[in-house]
Amino acid sequence: MTAPGLFISFEGIDGAGKSTHIEALADALRARGRAVLCTREPGGTPLAEQLRELVLRQPMQALTEALLMFAARREHVARVITPALAAGQVVLCDRFADATFAYQGGGRGLDWRMLQTLERMALDGHGLMADLAQKPDAHEGCDAAKCAAILQGDPVASLRLEDAPKGGFADVVKWASGVFARQGGKAVSPTLGEVLLDARAVKNSLGHGGANGAKKIAFAAVRNVIERGAMVQRRLGADEDSFYFAAPVDISGQDNIVTVLVHRDVNTHRMYLHSVILKKFLLGKAVSSADAQASKRSGGDSPRRTSQEGIRSVLHDLLNVKPAAPQDCPQDSDATQAVAPASLVQPHLTLWFDLPPQTAAARLTGVRLPDRFEAQPAAFFEAVRAAYARRMRDAPARIVRIDASQTREAVWDAVWSAVQKHMEQCA
């Protein structure tokens, strides 16, 4: 059985000895049979490393620093930390979110509540786990409830089969492209921004499985699905990310669920009309061959013809979610409070290497050229230290202070003791 993942962050100013003890702890854990991933912030992914260089070397405003730090952190967590934890690894990270509160909050003086809002936006554990599992949030909590409410709600469009183009590929492309042009050539997703709607999107959609009458007419609902539908699945890739939007659409009196796939690369967002499935088939656990033929005659795709088993399963689950009580799902106006602190991606254990700034500066003298932060005056680091202390008061069960002014052996003893205690408590 795979051991559960363990996330440990190391905090403190430069010169406190974090790097040395990260390496020592990694060796000790590997000697005990654990898989260990050592990483750092800002950094950990190619994009985050580029942002690191900007933050450390380029002059910028304090808010810009904070925004770049959380952008890098989101990428780092989604692409590196969360998958490693799911695989049962121990993740040792040189700094994490506490550092932003210490450096940008304490050192730069940014508003603490604003940083908490950015933290919630970047480290919403529900969304990150959805990225990892390639499914919507576990069928509990506000996000899943909102998705279910959309799929179980009123149609976002009402269409008629007889209005679908009667010809072949070229006729459908011409007709759907005209629809998109009249709609402005784009959809604006609340979460992704602009998504291109053009002839290429139509051709790509038809190139993946063709189209019956329901799929042809469903092109007229694509914009509404993207703008008003639920994002039911996310997949993060090395070069391209995928997002599945779904919404109910009435087609000649039949309730269908239309799903649109949006691909995001470094340049743009492009869509594919993924599937059109009768809602009654998604609600059921199985589809008989007779039902499948009936679906085909009505114009909708049966689940057997859907290209992604995972999407069908997700839609089935969400359509069967019981509606949540109104108080369980905050309204959009309360978006900054929608994610409870318990849902944030945070280290299981944080080791704060506390060291007087003067001692740290003496250790670094002549070792390397200082970056933008290391070049700050002592008063800056006193404010950083105070902010770390504030974070520890806010999370005493997670953050352990390590007196980094001790000998290396004494510091290591304190580190290993804290880690062992945490692992014993979680055993």
Side-chain angles (χ1 to χ4, degrees), residues 258-278:
V258 174
T259 305
V260 176
L261 166 60
V262 176
H263 283 315
R264 176 177 67 188
D265 58 25
V266 294
N267 297 315
T268 189
H269 294 100
R270 287 200 166 274
M271 56 73 52
Y272 300 80
L273 180 51
H274 181 270
S275 61
V276 183
I277 309 176
L278 282 170

Side-chain angles (χ1 to χ4, degrees), residues 131-152:
D131 292 342
L132 171 67
Q134 301 181 3
K135 297 187 72 173
D137 304 343
H139 301 319
E140 58 187 27
C142 298
D143 291 339
K146 287 181 179 179
C147 285
I150 291 171
L151 294 181
Q152 297 175 25

Side-chain angles (χ1 to χ4, degrees), residues 203-277:
K203 293 176 181 178
N204 288 340
S205 300
L206 296 176
H208 291 76
N212 57 19
K215 191 168 184 178
K216 291 176 183 178
I217 193 63
F219 280 107
V222 163
R223 186 176 72 169
N224 284 358
V225 172
I226 294 173
E227 294 183 347
R228 297 166 55 190
M231 184 191 293
V232 298
Q233 191 176 71
R234 288 178 280 193
R235 295 176 175 174
L236 299 182
D239 302 314
E240 185 177 73
D241 299 332
S242 300
F243 306 86
Y244 291 81
F245 293 86
V249 174
D250 179 288
I251 301 179
S252 293
Q254 295 273 7
D255 289 331
N256 290 264
I257 298 296
V258 174
T259 305
V260 176
L261 166 60
V262 176
H263 283 315
R264 176 177 67 188
D265 58 25
V266 294
N267 297 315
T268 189
H269 294 100
R270 287 200 166 274
M271 56 73 52
Y272 300 80
L273 180 51
H274 181 270
S275 61
V276 183
I277 309 176

